[in-house]
Amino acid sequence: MWIKENKKIEKRNKIAFELLEFLCISFIVSLFAFGFLYFTSCSIAMTYLSGQGIPLDEMEEIVLLFWIRVSCLLGAVIIFVLLFLFLFGQKVSYLISIIQGVKALEEKQMDFEIPSEGNDEFTQLAESINYLAISQKLLKEKEEGLKKEREEMIRSISHDIRTPLTSILSYSEYMQKKEDWNKEEVLSYMELMQAKAEQIKILTNQLLGKKERNLELVEHGKILIEQLVMEWEELLEEQFQCEVIWRQCDPFSGIFDISELRRIFDNLSSNVEKYGDPKRVVRLEVITEEEKLILIQENGVRAERESGVESNKIGLNNIKQIVEQYNGTVEVMKDEADFRIQIMLQVQKNL
């Protein structure tokens, strides 16, 4: 590509040669005009004087021819200048277009395009400016896209950090209020709080740009899901009546990032807390079939004026982003009174 471009540049006309060509054309045309004007003027003058019967001596004839020659030379010079300015004016006009293009770049008007005319250094300069404008435009669009992606990621992760953080605060408040504790209960709550803290650490690392997934083989998938469902239920049981359905869930194993599964359940519970109707039962059904893990959550929906929270769908978008990494699907059905979400994950057996 670079060699071809060099060959193309070598074949371009040189502006100096074009200027020399303009000078030659202008000189030839003006020379022809001088000869035409001179001989025509001499013929007309002699014919007129002869017709009027005005004789001229040798000196008068020399003076007459001198002034005719001067007048014709002046006319030829005017023709030379006008023709050269006309031919060179096209290049000047093109140069002005290039200057306007440079000014447009300075003002960050990336849509400005200089028309490609001729095949010389000016053309090469115009093409280079156009290429620079397109490059700057693409770079700006890419920067804006990355900025938007970064802002969406920050909103997404910030949204997901709230749920485990709220859980830690709830567990700690509960532990402060309760007086009678046994060792097993303390260890159980400490494990829950540690798991939520680890989740916050992972999300914080992602927020700082560390996006590596921690995929691992989960031998007892059903036990893991039971634990996540228990955490989901603990977050909701104070305000909602929860019902979990296991009738179609068989033991399974697969490759998962446990923190991603936990984020799915956290977003499900967060969605219920913000928009769910406490008077309605929240149902969660877990199904396994043909290397698929299916989660179905159903709950009532509060009126917007009762919830006091405007839906921005960050939680649902987070779930969709996670599910896409498992080649799964998310189906959402919602009306004024009911909400239903079905999440399907493909269960991989090998890394």
Side-chain angles (χ1 to χ4, degrees), residues 41-283:
S41 299
C42 288
S43 177
I44 293 173
M46 294 303 177
T47 302
Y48 175 78
L49 292 173
S50 177
Q52 295 293 324
I54 302 174
L56 295 176
D57 56 25
E58 184 178 354
M59 183 58 67
E60 290 176 336
E61 185 176 347
I62 292 174
V63 172
L64 176 62
L65 293 177
F66 172 78
W67 284 111
I68 291 175
R69 191 179 296 112
V70 170
S71 300
C72 294
L73 182 61
L74 181 60
V77 170
I78 293 174
I79 292 174
F80 173 84
V81 173
L82 292 177
L83 181 59
F84 180 77
L85 291 178
F86 172 76
L87 295 173
F88 187 67
Q90 298 178 12
K91 291 297 177 183
V92 174
S93 176
Y94 193 44
L95 181 60
I96 292 174
S97 299
I98 294 175
I99 294 173
Q100 290 176 347
V102 174
K103 289 183 178 179
L105 280 179
E106 291 177 352
E107 297 172 359
K108 301 187 182 301
Q109 299 176 16
M110 301 308 169
D111 293 330
F112 187 90
E113 182 178 358
I114 303 171
S116 181
E117 299 177 2
N119 187 28
D120 52 29
E121 287 94 337
F122 283 166
T123 310
Q124 181 183 352
L125 179 60
E127 291 174 353
S128 300
I129 293 173
N130 288 337
Y131 177 77
L132 180 61
I134 293 173
S135 301
Q136 290 294 323
K137 182 179 179 181
L138 293 176
L139 180 62
K140 185 178 180 181
E141 290 176 353
K142 186 175 181 180
E143 287 178 352
E144 290 177 352
L146 291 173
K147 182 179 178 182
K148 183 178 180 182
E149 182 180 346
R150 180 70 176 175
E151 290 175 351
E152 289 178 354
M153 185 189 72
I154 291 173
R155 285 197 297 267
S156 172
I157 296 178
S158 300
H159 175 274
D160 285 354
I161 286 177
R162 289 194 192 101
T163 303
L165 186 58
T166 302
S167 300
I168 291 175
L169 292 174
S170 299
Y171 294 151
S172 60
E173 289 176 3
Y174 177 73
M175 294 176 71
Q176 286 177 347
K177 292 179 181 178
K178 187 173 180 179
E179 296 179 356
D180 299 328
W181 285 96
N182 58 52
K183 186 176 180 180
E184 292 182 355
E185 287 180 326
V186 172
L187 290 176
S188 175
Y189 275 95
M190 291 298 292
E191 287 177 359
L192 289 174
M193 293 174 67
Q194 183 177 3
K196 295 299 181 182
E198 287 291 335
Q199 186 178 355
I200 293 175
K201 179 182 178 182
I202 293 171
L203 292 172
T204 304
N205 287 335
Q206 291 179 359
L207 191 62
L208 295 175
K210 302 176 182 180
K211 297 184 179 180
E212 294 183 2
R213 301 174 68 197
N214 185 24
L215 294 172
E216 57 183 293
L217 176 61
V218 179
E219 294 286 354
H220 304 287
K222 184 177 181 180
I223 295 177
L224 172 63
I225 298 300
E226 287 175 349
Q227 178 183 347
L228 296 176
V229 169
M230 181 187 69
E231 295 176 11
W232 169 87
E233 196 168 5
E234 286 179 349
L235 291 171
L236 298 175
E237 61 185 359
E238 291 186 5
Q239 302 179 51
F240 300 88
Q241 180 183 351
C242 301
E243 178 183 346
V244 182
I245 303 172
W246 296 94
R247 59 174 176 266
Q248 297 184 50
C249 182
D250 299 320
F252 67 94
S253 62
I255 305 297
F256 296 99
D257 184 329
I258 298 176
S259 66
E260 291 177 345
L261 295 180
R262 182 169 277 112
R263 285 180 65 189
I264 290 176
F265 280 92
D266 284 348
N267 278 290
L268 288 176
S269 62
S270 175
N271 191 67
V272 174
E273 288 178 325
K274 290 179 179 178
Y275 313 111
D277 185 355
K279 301 175 184 177
R280 303 272 298 278
V281 176
V282 180
R283 291 184 175 85

Side-chain angles (χ1 to χ4, degrees), residues 305-330:
R305 61 178 181 274
E306 295 179 5
S307 65
V309 180
E310 183 180 355
S311 175
N312 48 27
K313 299 183 179 180
I314 293 179
L316 293 178
N317 290 333
N318 292 347
I319 292 175
K320 290 178 181 178
Q321 291 175 4
I322 296 171
V323 171
E324 284 176 357
Q325 299 185 78
Y326 292 90
N327 298 319
T329 58
V330 178

Side-chain angles (χ1 to χ4, degrees), residues 18-31:
E18 290 188 359
L19 290 177
L20 182 60
E21 183 181 352
F22 294 160
L23 288 171
C24 292
I25 292 173
S26 301
F27 178 76
I28 292 172
V29 172
S30 61
L31 183 62

